[in-house]
Structures are given as structure tokens and as C-alpha cells.
Amino acid sequence: MLRTRSLSLLLVLLLSPLTGFAQDPDINAKIRKEGMENSKIMRTMHYLTDVYGPRLTGSPNHKAAGEWAIKEMQSWGFENGHLEPWDFGHPGWLNERFSAHILSPVKDQLTCEVLAWTPGTNGTVTGQAFQMIAPEKPAQEELTAYFAGIKDKIKGKIVMAGKHTIVPVTINPSPKRSDDQQLKARYDPNNPNPGQFGGRPGGPGANQERPDPAKLTPQQIGEQTDKFLLENGAAIRVNDAGRDHGQIRAFNNRTFDVTKVVPTVVMRNEDYGRITRLLADGLPVELEFNIVNHIYPEGKTSYNSVAEIPGTDKKDEVIMLGGHLDSWHAATGATDNAVGCATMMEAARILKAIGVKPRRTIRVALWGGEEQGLLGSQAYVKEHFGSFEEPKPDFNKLGAYFNIDSGTGRARGAGVFGPPEAAAVVRQALAPFEDLGVMGAIATKGRNLAGTDSSSFSQAGLPGIGMQQDPIEYGTYTWHTSLDTYERIIEDDVKKSAVAIAAAVYQLAMRDDLLPRFTKEQMPPLPKPEPRPQRVDRPATPASPETKN
């Protein structure tokens, strides 16, 4: 009887469409049980957000978070944990203390976030509010004339940079879950027009106005505004957050040089509007600010955090998974992207906990500098793998890189850089998890650097795999905002994401062959460099001194 069963099992393996996959019939059940009943993902989230957030690139918080993550993964049995340095080129920055109040004609607290890489106030500063409203989309001569007309009015003033943004009430909110049938169609390989893996909110592909060469760009306006305020003695610059329900997005002084700007804050739209209306009534408005910022020269070296589960007979080949550890500083960076890091750490932990002995090495990487342009992952790819055009010895040893970076929503499908055969492998690995909402995988061929770290791998011609997720509140309320905290994480969703990804990583780590790749004839060409698109989520006049990939 035992011999018969063994022969039957062998026949099943030989006839399986996933020849070369690990065919342990119980592995997915073990992964589900460990991931749903013994999860450590929310503990990881707590530490990355409550203890170490925010995690701005180059800051002590970011490095400390990476060190903690490595120590935690090593406690789970991972090996080769280390910080891998790369050149950020800018000092670290941290806001240590901040307060803002309106003193007259009423007394009240104001809600703001400090713009990164801007100076502090060297104590409490009080001053009259002055609102500068430059011409919209000005030509150079128009902006120069406007500056000349207000030059003598801003010394010592707290300058409101731009008119108040009227934010319309959202009558029909965006759905928080993706439609199952639409996703099935998107990931159906038999669909004659399958949808490509979607972009992130506001990323490449968003509608962009064609610039008028006779007009200044928002970046040019912002640079000239910063210079004007600094040279003419403005005390503080205040930008309108321009978002509803008190949300604030605060990015950075685009020069990363605190000597080139005045102290700058982003004020919630509701407070900015109140002051605008008081000034419009002809009432003098007195404001008070105290900003304490700190510069860390050692932040010019930033880090990726790496740990791994060593492989066995194919240990020189690697399956990677990760997310970016750095965050913006308006909140604690929960949905962007502590949750991605925690999910990938958890996926690998599950495999270690159930005793998997992977054939290939499973490596977790938590990136720095994603928010400044995918800098950490680009540095890693260049150092370790090179590119299709200029490969390094390990270029052909990377089996795949899985990435997650779109909030708390469940993983619903995968975009796989490579030929359709590669997507077919990932699709079948994910197929047992349709009950968790995972609808498949689709092949992609874009080599543009997009809005997340998997595109650093895809641009190099490597198999980057980006996981699509349910939107939940990511693009509307938590992405880069002051609301991006631990409370926005849906525990059931992130557990299910970790389970599905763990299973896919396991299959790719155990199968006989690496994922199929584009041949030399199939490899899409590198795209021509394009001008960096301007941000579209802030008032354009005057432009805020911010950047975001």
C-alpha cells in the first residue's frame, strides 16, 4: 500500500503544471496557521511606528529602526543581518519640538507640520501675518514685478505663501476595496487587453499639464520665493496644506540646505483659511511659533537593513522581499511603509517558524531613501546586480524581488516584470489564496522608475514583483499625511497579505528553475530620461519648496 501511494504521488508530481515546484500538500496549511494564529506583525508595526517613527532618511530614527529590525529578525533565526550603507549625500534632519499659536485678534493653537531640512527659529518668534498672493502661472517679469511691490512689507513678518485653497467636500468617496470581478479580469491571462499593474496615487501616469515655456514652472517659482523671503528678512514661511479634514503633507526643502530657506511650516487648511479670512477683513493677525530642528551630518550615509534565511543546494541564488523603511515625518509612517516592511518580515518569519529549509536564500531588505527617489534600492541593485546592459556576476542569481508599498489593504495580485511565463509561475503560486482575495498575476514590461522600489529592479531588467493592494484610505487619507499612524492598520488584511506572499516566496525558493526572464531579443529598452514631473497635490502659486518621488 505504501509503495502504491508513493507511485501515485510521483505521478501527480510529474503531471503537475508546476513541475519543479515544491509539492508538499500541507505547506500552505502550515503557512496559513502560523500566519493567522501566531502572527508577530502587529508587534513589528508597533515598534516601527510608535517606538521608531517617523523614520526620515538620514535621521537617527531611521537608522535605529533598521538596527531594531535586524535584531528582531535575528531573534527569529535569520542570519547575516547587517546595515548596508549607501551615500545619501545630505545631512540628516529631525524636528524635535514645535508649537504654533494665533495671539490676536483671538487666541488659539494652530496645527502645522515643519518642512524637512529647514531651519528652526532659535527660540519663540512672534510677528504679524502677511499673505503674499503672486500672479497665477506667472512669467518671469510678472513675478519679479510682484516681488518688487512687496519687498518692503515682509521683513520680520510671518508670510502666508499663497492664497487659501478651497477644498471641495467629497460627496462620493472612493471605494476602499477593489472589485473582485474587475481584478479577475485584470489578472486573466486570456483577456485580450489585460490591465497592466497599476501605478501608485499621483505617480507616473497621472495627468500632467504640458508646461508653457513662457511661464515659470512651480519649481522655479518655489526657488525664487525661497530666495526672496530669505534675502528680505521674512521670519517664517507658512504653506497651506490644501487638504481636507486636517490632513497635512509636509515634505522637504528641495535643496536639503537649511541655509537657503527661512523656517517653514505646512499649516492645516482649516487654520490657513481662518487666518486668510481674518486678514481679508482688515484685521491684524499676530502669530507665534517655536521650532526646534536638529541637523545630523552623519546622515549623509544612509542604510538598507538586510537579513536572510540561508538556502541549501541553491543558496547562491536569492529570492528577495522587502519594502521601504524610511518615511515622511508628519506622522509615524505606518501605511507608508512600516506596513510593507512588517509584512515582508512576517512572510519570511512564517517560513522560518514552520521549519522550511529553502533551496534558495530568502533575503529581506528594508530600504532607505525611497521617499527621496528610490535611492536605497537603486544603490543596492547597482552594487549587487548591475543591470541587463551592464550585469554583475550575481545578475542572473536573483530569482525575484517582491515589494509591497500601498498601505494596509490586502494583497490582491502581482505585477511581474518579465515574459508571460514568469507571471504564470507566480499566478499559480498565488492561486490557492483566492479565498483571501488574491486574484492572480500579470506580466509587465515597463522599465521606468515608478513610485516604489520594485521598479529599481525592473529598470535593471530584473524580475521585480509589485503587489497590488486594496486601496482602503491610502490615496485619500494616509499616504504621506499626518494621519499615517498605527491605528490605520487593518490587522486581518496585513496577516493575509503576509500569508499569501510567504507561500509565493516559498514556491520560488524551492522550484527547480528560476523565474523565466526576457531574452536578449525580448528585453524592453531602457526609457529615455524624462523631466521629473511636478507634484500635483499642493497649491501651485507660490510653489512650496517640496519634492517627492
Side-chain angles (χ1 to χ4, degrees), residues 348-368:
R349 185 203 67 80
I350 290 170
L351 298 179
K352 185 66 177 177
I354 64 175
V356 165
K357 303 295 184 185
R359 300 180 70 188
R360 295 180 178 86
T361 295
I362 296 171
R363 183 177 298 158
V364 177
L366 312 179
W367 310 114

Side-chain angles (χ1 to χ4, degrees), residues 440-457:
I442 195 75
T444 68
K445 57 183 180 180
R447 294 184 70 184
N448 285 300
L449 276 179
T452 193
D453 293 294
S454 55
S455 66
S456 294
F457 289 80

Side-chain angles (χ1 to χ4, degrees), residues 229-282:
L229 294 177
L230 186 65
E231 290 179 349
N232 290 281
I236 293 170
R237 172 173 175 163
V238 180
N239 299 327
D240 183 358
R243 301 182 64 81
D244 61 357
H245 299 290
Q247 299 173 60
I248 299 174
R249 286 178 174 167
F251 297 109
N252 62 280
N253 158 29
R254 58 173 52 87
T255 71
F256 294 90
D257 185 344
V258 298
T259 67
K260 293 185 177 181
V261 292
V262 299
T264 304
V265 303
V266 182
M267 182 178 289
R268 72 173 180 177
N269 179 257
E270 295 84 353
D271 287 345
Y272 199 97
R274 181 185 191 181
I275 296 171
T276 294
R277 291 186 292 273
L278 291 171
L279 292 172
D281 274 342

Side-chain angles (χ1 to χ4, degrees), residues 50-74:
D50 298 332
V51 179
Y52 295 108
R55 305 170 305 278
L56 194 66
T57 300
S59 71
N61 294 27
H62 177 253
K63 184 180 180 183
E67 291 171 336
W68 176 86
I70 290 169
K71 184 178 179 181
E72 187 74 355
M73 288 188 283
Q74 288 176 328

Side-chain angles (χ1 to χ4, degrees), residues 406-419:
S406 293
T408 189
R410 288 176 299 167
R412 304 301 305 278
V416 184
F417 180 81

Side-chain angles (χ1 to χ4, degrees), residues 9 175 202 343 380 485:
L9 179 58
T343 299
Y380 187 92
T485 63

